[in-house]
Amino acid sequence: MRSLLVVVLAAGEGTRMASRLPKVLHKVAGRSMVGHVVEAAGRAGAARLAVVVGPGREDVAAAARAAAPAGVGVEVFVQAERLGTAHAVLAARAALSGPVDDVVVMYGDTPLVRPETIAALRAPLAAGAAVSVLGFRPAYPTGYGRLLTRDGDLVAIREEKDASPEERQVGLCNAGLMAFDGAVALALLERIGNANAKGEYYLTDAVEVARGLGRAAAVVEAEVAEVAGVNTRAQLAEAESLLQQRLRAAAMAGGATLIAPETVFFSPDTRLGRDVVVEPNVVFGPGVSVEDDVTIRAFSHIEGAHVGRGAIVGPFARLRPGAALGEGVHIGNFVEIKASDLAAGVKVNHLSYVGDSSVGANTNIGAGSITCNYDGFRKHRTVIGADVFIGTNTLLVAPVRVGDGAYTATGGVITDDVPADALAVARARQVNKEGFASRLRARLSAGLSPKK
Ligand code: UD1
Ligand code: MG
């Protein structure tokens, strides 16, 4: 196994995003672009990560650290002045000086690169190349560096502004990912100058430098969709669309039915079991796992939740972080569940809010019931036992407990604990005033006050 250092360039300003947020912190499928890159680097086996950020960009550094897998060290380097991509990589000189077999350079604004592609890019290094470049064939090559080849060998990368008219005809372009033999990476970078149209230190010049030293350079071709860089909000939306297509395909390949895949939105970490059916217009935020045989009905929004085997969720349900649904739970329309454990067989079918609660097996929560969990300062817990029947439109004022097998009568405001097997009636008794309605109508039609 060859050791791997990945250098992530994230010092760009991203002016074309027209945003206060640095470009690489914009999200694709709920995760920052730099987070996607760091995650892919980690899954590709990087033992170390060097992230190059602009001055004062502690937010970018924090996002990169947060996305790194456990055990992968993240070193952050600041590029004080933007003098080009080679200059940016050299900001991480201290990381490059250590012994490492392969160095891969990635851009923080190219979020869709898969670990498999990083592995493919490294393969020529093991075979003796000093540099390996990820190539692609975009529909419109304008603006990209062109990969100049001779007899199948990569001889140079020519930036658009420095290219001759013939070189601009070349359709094979530089995606931006480059891999270097770690033994010579630093030596190659230090030989790069800035005598070019932009007066920048071009990382791409490493190809000619390596060849000048008698070392080979290679090209590995990638799909256009995978190497799409993001410079504008329109390209951000395009990246979102591409990633969602990938996530939908993976969900279906894993055994889930998506009735209208183009309307279902996933997070990269969404886990669906087999024979899960997802109806149209469902959003999966981060941190969702769904066991086998679950049906997620239309227009549901789910994040940070676990859904047990055979459960039915929705339509129009909202599961928020910490919702844990046991086997066969039914969550119906306009029901919100937050930070609550619902044991097997629980039913919450209509218009309810269950928050900061635990609910025992086979309990039924009637329509319109609410756990009143917040007093304006703190959250409080509601503990409901097994086989409980919460009557329609019950308000459970937390902290409060309802024992196993208890009933609460419809329309109750439950402020005190309910013992097991008890019926709690917590509403005013009904009074019928005979003949009152016609007397009231008479007063009102005479323009008098309704009260007397
Ligand atoms: C670069 C490549 C080009 C390739 C294209 C793919 C060079 C010289 N050119 O061109 O061959 O086709 O990407 O998109 O490498 N960055 C820094 N500090 C700097 C300069 C850049 O961190 O001083 C970062 C940017 O934030 C960005 C990446 O490096 O993430 C690429 O820089 P950019 O200016 O976009 O390079 P391009 O001109 O697009
Ligand atoms: Mg660019």
Side-chain angles (χ1 to χ4, degrees):
M1 269 274 278
R2 295 167 64 88
S3 61
L4 173 62
L5 164 70
V6 173
V7 181
V8 179
L9 302 191
E13 275 142 38
T15 331
R16 280 180 286 163
M17 296 295 281
S19 175
R20 271 187 291 276
L21 200 64
K23 175 165 76 175
V24 297
L25 293 187
H26 282 264
K27 288 180 176 172
V28 177
R31 178 183 285 169
S32 71
M33 290 197 273
V34 72
H36 280 284
V37 173
V38 165
E39 155 96 18
R43 287 205 283 135
R48 289 190 294 142
L49 277 161
V51 181
V52 180
V53 303
R57 283 270 74 110
E58 188 43 45
D59 45 3
V60 174
R65 285 195 195 94
V72 176
V74 178
E75 292 170 86
V76 175
F77 298 92
V78 175
Q79 185 192 19
E81 268 185 295
R82 283 175 51 94
L83 300 180
T85 45
H87 180 261
V89 177
L90 278 173
R93 181 189 301 271
L96 291 161
S97 314
V100 66
D101 295 318
D102 297 352
V103 176
V104 169
V105 177
M106 299 177 74
Y107 294 165
D109 64 0
T110 307
L112 305 185
V113 177
R114 294 170 309 137
E116 298 90 305
T117 302
I118 298 172
L121 179 68
R122 293 168 67 193
L125 302 181
V131 183
S132 176
V133 178
L134 199 66
F136 74 128
R137 297 179 187 274
Y140 303 101
T142 305
Y144 290 106
R146 305 304 204 285
L147 302 185
L148 309 182
T149 55
R150 197 181 308 128
D151 307 326
D153 288 338
L154 180 62
V155 294
I157 305 178
R158 195 73 74 232
E159 292 305 298
E160 173 88 18
K161 285 193 172 157
D162 301 286
S164 67
E166 301 82 66
E167 287 169 340
R168 286 183 190 173
Q169 296 306 305
V170 172
L172 183 59
C173 294
N174 174 22
L177 263 78
M178 294 176 69
F180 301 89
D181 171 1
V184 295
L186 200 52
L188 297 180
L189 290 168
E190 281 173 338
R191 282 184 164 79
I192 292 172
N194 66 350
N196 52 51
K198 284 168 106 178
E200 286 188 1
Y201 296 88
Y202 290 164
L203 183 61
T204 47
D205 282 352
V207 170
E208 280 167 288
V209 172
R211 288 188 57 94
L213 297 173
R215 295 289 304 269
V219 184
V220 172
E221 272 197 58
E223 295 288 328
V224 176
E226 188 175 350
V227 297
V230 173
N231 298 304
T232 62
R233 305 261 185 176
Q235 289 169 340
L236 185 70
E238 180 66 15
E240 178 77 39
S241 161
L242 290 166
L243 183 53
Q244 290 299 341
Q245 286 172 38
R246 196 190 280 174
L247 296 171
R248 289 164 191 148
M252 291 188 282
T257 294
L258 310 184
I259 292 172
E262 67 284 4
T263 68
V264 178
F265 290 79
F266 290 103
S267 290
D269 65 351
T270 307
R271 296 281 163 267
L272 299 187
R274 287 206 175 199
D275 296 311
V276 167
V277 175
V278 183
E279 291 185 357
N281 297 298
V282 171
V283 175
F284 292 94
V288 175
S289 55
V290 177
E291 291 184 29
D292 293 353
D293 304 317
V294 165
T295 299
I296 309 286
R297 303 187 65 191
F299 296 98
S300 293
H301 190 281
I302 304 178
E303 56 186 325
H306 176 78
V307 181
R309 187 182 183 118
I312 300 174
V313 174
F316 299 98
R318 180 166 185 211
L319 301 183
R320 291 174 52 207
L325 276 45
E327 195 170 326
V329 165
H330 288 191
I331 301 299
N333 42 275
F334 306 106
V335 169
E336 174 180 345
I337 311 285
K338 186 217 72 170
S340 295
D341 289 320
L342 276 52
V346 166
K347 293 196 176 84
V348 193
N349 271 327
H350 328 271
L351 303 156
S352 290
Y353 171 60
V354 176
D356 302 304
S357 302
S358 74
V359 182
N362 301 315
T363 284
N364 186 91
I365 297 194
S369 293
I370 305 286
T371 55
C372 311
N373 58 330
Y374 187 48
D375 58 15
F377 293 90
R378 269 167 299 169
K379 304 284 171 65
H380 302 281
R381 289 196 67 78
T382 299
V383 179
I384 302 172
D387 302 307
V388 168
F389 186 92
I390 300 291
T392 298
N393 203 26
T394 297
L395 303 181
L396 294 146
V397 182
V400 72
R401 307 172 78 91
V402 180
D404 290 345
Y407 265 71
T408 68
T410 295
V413 181
I414 304 296
T415 53
D416 298 329
D417 290 356
V418 180
D421 204 35
L423 165 67
V425 184
R427 63 180 189 230
R429 229 175 230 299
Q430 182 170 329
V431 178
N432 292 334
K433 298 184 177 177
E434 296 289 340
F436 188 92
S438 56
R439 293 199 298 277
L440 175 65
R441 274 191 290 272
R443 288 189 62 78
L444 293 173
S445 64
L448 299 171
S449 156
K451 295 186 203 149
K452 197 174 82 125

